[in-house]
Amino acid sequence: MLDKTKDKYEVVIGLEVHAQLLTKSKIFCGCSTKFGASPNTQTCPVCLGLPGVLPVLNKEVVNFAIMMGFATNGDIAPNSRFARKNYFYPDLPKGYQISQYEQPLVIGGHVDISIDGTVKRIGLTRIHMEEDAGKSIHGGGGNTSLVDLNRTGVPLIEIVSEPDIRSSEEAVEYLKKLREIVRYLEICDGNMDEGSFRCDANVSIRPVGETTLGTKAEVKNMNSFKFIQKALEYEIERQVEVVEGGGRIIQETRLWDSDKGITVSMRSKEEAHDYRYFPEPDLVPVEVSVEWKEEVRKRLPELPDEKRNRFIRDYEIPDYDAMVLTSSRALAGFYEEAVRVYRKPKAISNWIMGDLLRDLNLAGIEVEQSPVKPHQIAAMVKMIDDGIISGKIAKTVFEDMYKTSKDPDVIVKEKGLVQITDESAIEGIVDKVIAENPIQAEAFRGGKDKLIGFFVGQVMKLSGGKANPAAVNEIIKRKLS
Ligand code: ADP
Ligand code: ZN
Ligand code: MG
């Protein structure tokens, strides 16, 4: 925001997140939900909206939505129902989308985010189930638009936040947290490129101190965290300029244009009554019994916040380490496996957060594909502790492990990297270095203590980094006293 207006306005953001569920089949028919099949090959009369067929609710969709409700502390409604949201679009063959409207499955809840080390709670309004629409592909061949209905009927949950978010940074933190949760639950792959995790952002501003909400604009079409942050920043700035210029914000839907880095007006905002919502007559209400809820509760994994706190408590690692290590279930599992093999939690954390994640990021692969296995990192850390290799040599060993997937002891043996701790061997090297550097040796004897660094460096070099540094230090001092 411009400096002069920074303290004048408060930003208000509420997010609507759509997460595609990882069920094998669609929400109301048996068609596959697999991404990337050739267009219109995963369709049937139900998802094509042909007459004379009826939808049947996929129970796993309800299970997944309940899991998300539990994970975000919402109330699971014992009775909820589907409704028709009517609108015309070529990628919506029925002419309506089956969604939930007045009676969503999950009510309320919250998600805690961390901003500069302080925890902020973002309220949730609701989570409901709905079907996805198809996909229009524009500009493929000349002036034509094509429609792919493979995505029609793929299950979604929509997670609606309260207007509790106060900056673009908070919005991104909130989204990262939600994505982390759906991934932990394994109900959505969180892939923003492929559109399986997407968000519409409602943005308004108001003078600081004002308690009623300002008029909002809804921004769509952002497919990465970076774009969401940029789009929100642009939109906030735009609204401030409109208001500062004496204008009024109009309620509208705006599209993010990532090439130009701006939001552009798409249409004036539709109202709920434009959709002619009415209860879906082809589906019975969803009744979730206490028993059903409890069955689903058993499927909940340990969630990111719980895992983070347990890591801090049990492994006594810093908050930051715990945050990085629990950013995915797979990474947390990798870490715990290594610590189980050799309980040096901080040392192992350092190797994973530093060398391993760096190499994985460079290669663009996930920890599941890591060429280095948890027990190998554990074994390497143990070799350092046992004095078999120095921390410096371990860097080389790690790189070799990463390249070859060999065990660290094999690498150390093959390359002759075992640390030299044998006194007489080190003495031999020290003698040689002293003999080759008589002037420095004289100076050291004469009181130039600082030269110790020079001698240690020479000995380490001559030993190929393998001499035990503590022993080297001690022997040099003894010989030159
Ligand atoms: P609509 O009826 O336009 O869909 P809702 O009241 O259902 O609006 O809210 C949709 C989303 O917009 C929610 O996430 C909500 O928190 C957010 N929202 C509502 N009013 C505002 C506002 N004035 N400024 C920013 N966000 C808002
Ligand atoms: Zn189908
Ligand atoms: Mg709404």
Side-chain angles (χ1 to χ4, degrees), residues 57 62-63 65-70 73-82 100-109 125-129 285-294 296-297:
L57 178 60
V62 186
N63 290 336
I66 293 173
M67 283 167 82
M68 191 60 183
F70 279 141
N73 313 287
D75 291 323
I76 313 301
N79 286 287
S80 74
R81 98 183 8 261
F82 285 97
Q100 293 195 298
Y101 183 53
E102 279 167 330
Q103 290 174 262
L105 178 69
V106 182
I107 299 158
T125 314
R126 56 189 280 161
I127 300 173
H128 67 253
M129 304 173 281
V286 182
E287 287 181 23
V288 179
S289 65
V290 175
E291 294 74 32
W292 184 356
K293 264 175 35 177
E294 291 319 306
V296 177
R297 200 192 292 278

Side-chain angles (χ1 to χ4, degrees), residues 98-242:
I98 304 180
S99 180
Q100 293 195 298
Y101 183 53
E102 279 167 330
Q103 290 174 262
L105 178 69
V106 182
I107 299 158
H110 57 81
V111 166
D112 290 339
I113 60 170
S114 168
I115 293 287
D116 300 329
T118 52
V119 173
K120 169 158 180 178
R121 180 157 289 185
I122 308 295
L124 297 191
T125 314
R126 56 189 280 161
I127 300 173
H128 67 253
M129 304 173 281
E130 61 186 28
E131 58 178 343
D132 209 344
K135 217 172 174 171
S136 299
I137 301 151
H138 304 294
N143 266 332
T144 56
S145 286
L146 302 168
V147 177
D148 177 6
L149 298 177
N150 282 349
R151 206 178 65 182
T152 312
V154 165
L156 301 174
I157 47 172
E158 177 173 340
I159 305 148
V160 183
S161 87
E162 289 288 293
D164 288 349
I165 298 163
R166 291 289 169 272
S167 67
S168 57
E169 292 81 15
E170 286 185 16
V172 169
E173 281 310 306
Y174 167 78
L175 288 167
K176 285 187 173 165
K177 195 63 179 279
L178 274 193
R179 192 170 73 145
E180 196 175 271
I181 295 170
V182 296
R183 285 183 164 171
Y184 260 68
L185 296 173
E186 293 172 347
I187 61 171
C188 168
D189 65 21
N191 192 327
M192 297 175 90
D193 293 339
E194 291 175 3
S196 40
F197 186 86
R198 46 191 201 259
C199 122
D200 301 334
N202 299 272
V203 185
S204 66
I205 56 167
R206 60 184 172 191
V208 167
E210 175 64 62
T211 50
T212 56
L213 293 170
T215 303
K216 68 180 156 74
E218 184 174 350
V219 185
K220 289 178 181 284
N221 200 36
M222 305 152 292
N223 63 355
S224 71
F225 289 128
K226 200 179 91 201
F227 287 155
I228 289 164
Q229 175 124 19
K230 284 192 166 170
L232 289 174
E233 270 155 26
Y234 177 88
E235 182 57 22
I236 292 161
E237 190 84 29
R238 185 191 71 83
Q239 293 190 9
V240 169
E241 274 171 28
V242 169

Side-chain angles (χ1 to χ4, degrees), residues 29 31 43-44 47:
C29 63
C31 291
T43 58
C44 73
C47 55

